[in-house]
Amino acid sequence: MTLQEKPLSVRPDGSGTRRAAGGPARPVVAAVAGSACISASAVFMKLSGTNAGTAAFLRCALALVVLVPLAVREGRRVGTRPLRYLVMDLGAGVLLGVDMVFWAAAVRTVGASVATVLLNLQIVVFPLLARLVSGTGLSGRFVLMAPLMLMGVALASGAIGHPAPGSDPVAGVTFGTAAGMTYAGYLFLMRLGGGREHTVSPVCVSTAAAAVAAAVLGGLWTGIDLNPGWPAWGWLSALALVGQVLAWLLITTALPRLAPHTGAALLLLQPVLAFALGVAIGERPTPTQAGGCALVIAAVWYHSRGSRGRAPKTAIPRAS
C-alpha cells in the first residue's frame, strides 16, 4: 500500500469501499514523534544519574506497570499467545535486558549522543545472524556498508581520533558493541516469534524477561539502587513511559502504514535527534566523534535504501 492509498474495507457481500485512514501525514507524524521519544531515552538515562544496573532494571519494571494491563486486555480480545512464541519472547527479553545494561554503561562512558549512535551496530550484526542461522545471503550493499559503519563507530567512540574529555573510548566501544550485538539478537528472536495478532503481549513478556536479566547482570556488576531519590525516579519514569511504551505505541502504529523505505528513513531521525539532545544537555563530542556519528548515520541511510519496495530487515527501533 502506498502512502496515497487508503485501506480497502471489504463488505460481507464481497464489495469493497475505501475508508479514510487519516491521510498520509498522520503515520509520518507518528513515526517522527516515536523517533523523538526513543531519541530522548539516553538523555533521560544520563539525567537520572543512576548506574547501569539500576537504570536498566527500573526502566523495565516501570514500563510493566503500563504494559501488563494492556497485555491482559489484548489477551481477552484475541486469546492467549502460543507457547512456542512465548518461549521466543522470553529468550528475546533476556537479550534485551543484557543490551539495556550495556547500553546504559555506554551512556555513562561516552555520553548519550554517541551511545545512541553506537547502538546502530545492530545494522551490521542482524544480517550476520540471519546468515548464520537461516542462510540468508548478504547483499553487496551490506558488504560495502559494514566497513564504513565500523570505521564510524571507532571514530564516534573516540577509539580513533580524539575522545571527549572525561570519556572512556575503549570501554564505550566495548559496551556499545555488546549492546548492539545483544539488541540484534533480541530483534532476530522477536521476528522469529511471529504471531502478528498479538502486538502488546510479546513486548510485555520480553520486557518482564529483560527486567529479570537486568536485575541479575546489573546486580552482579554495578548493583541496583531501589531508592535512587525523587529526581532519578522522575527521569527513569520518563525513560520507561516515553522512551519505551509511548515510542512503541507510536512507531508500531505508524510503520505498517508507511512505505518500507519511508519508514526506514524516518527511523534514522533517532540517532540524529539523540546527538542533538546530547549536545543540548551539555555534551561536547570532538570533531572526529561528530564525523564518526555522521559516517554511521550515512552508512545506515545507505543500507536502508536497499529496503525500497520490501520490508526493512534491520532498521527497527527499540520497542521495549
Side-chain angles (χ1 to χ4, degrees), residues 5-232:
E5 293 176 341
K6 297 178 181 179
L8 181 63
S9 176
V10 181
R11 296 173 178 169
D13 61 2
S15 62
T17 59
R18 298 285 177 185
R19 58 182 175 85
R26 288 191 177 182
V28 172
V29 172
V32 171
S35 293
C37 289
I38 292 176
S39 301
S41 295
V43 170
F44 291 154
M45 187 270 149
K46 183 171 182 177
L47 292 175
S48 74
T50 56
N51 62 38
T54 299
F57 171 71
L58 290 182
R59 70 179 293 184
C60 293
L62 291 170
L64 287 173
V65 174
V66 177
L67 289 173
V68 168
L70 293 176
V72 170
R73 180 181 178 184
E74 181 180 76
R76 291 173 178 170
R77 188 179 74 252
V78 300
T80 58
R81 189 159 165 81
L83 179 60
R84 65 183 183 276
Y85 293 157
L86 287 174
V87 172
M88 292 285 187
D89 298 340
L90 289 170
V94 170
L95 292 174
L96 180 63
V98 175
D99 154 59
M100 287 182 174
V101 174
F102 280 118
W103 175 77
V107 171
R108 293 184 63 86
T109 53
V110 293
S113 54
V114 173
T116 304
V117 173
L118 292 180
L119 191 64
N120 283 276
L121 271 173
Q122 63 96 358
I123 300 291
V124 175
V125 177
F126 191 95
L128 295 177
L129 282 176
R131 174 67 175 175
L132 291 173
V133 175
S134 59
T136 304
L138 299 175
S139 67
R141 186 178 292 271
F142 172 82
V143 173
L144 291 174
M145 178 275 300
L148 294 176
M149 168 73 80
L150 297 176
M151 176 60 72
V153 165
L155 289 169
S157 66
I160 296 177
H162 301 287
S167 66
D168 187 340
V170 175
V173 75
T174 301
F175 298 150
T177 300
M181 292 178 66
T182 50
Y183 185 50
Y186 158 75
L187 295 176
F188 189 75
L189 287 180
M190 289 295 281
R191 280 185 176 274
L192 289 180
R196 295 186 181 279
E197 66 276 9
H198 294 89
T199 55
V200 181
S201 297
V203 178
C204 183
V205 172
S206 64
T207 300
V212 174
V216 173
L217 177 59
L220 293 174
W221 183 14
T222 65
I224 296 176
D225 183 4
L226 296 179
N227 187 25
W230 283 116

